Amino acid sequence: MSIRTRKLIGAVVLLLVICVYSLLALAVAIVLQVNQASKLAELAYYAIAGTIWIIPAGAVISWMSRPDPQTDKRN
């Protein structure tokens, strides 16, 4: 697979991951507010939820930026 194709697929996957992750994070935040969690617990959740999406995004970006395999072009 060429790097251009990986970047196209990776961009679509990143958008999907961010959309799904944000909806899940929102659902958990609503549960925290309904259960009257302490302000410190909410702050910790937002700090963790705001940075943990970097892990799957980093994996996708790493996959996207791999160089193309070298093909043998002997004539």
Side-chain angles (χ1 to χ4, degrees), residues 19-48:
C19 288
V20 169
Y21 181 79
S22 64
L23 290 174
L24 290 173
L26 175 70
V28 173
I30 290 172
V31 169
L32 283 176
Q33 289 179 346
V34 168
N35 290 337
Q36 299 296 324
S38 69
K39 296 296 180 190
L40 185 59
E42 284 187 46
L43 179 65
Y45 169 73
Y46 289 125
I48 292 168

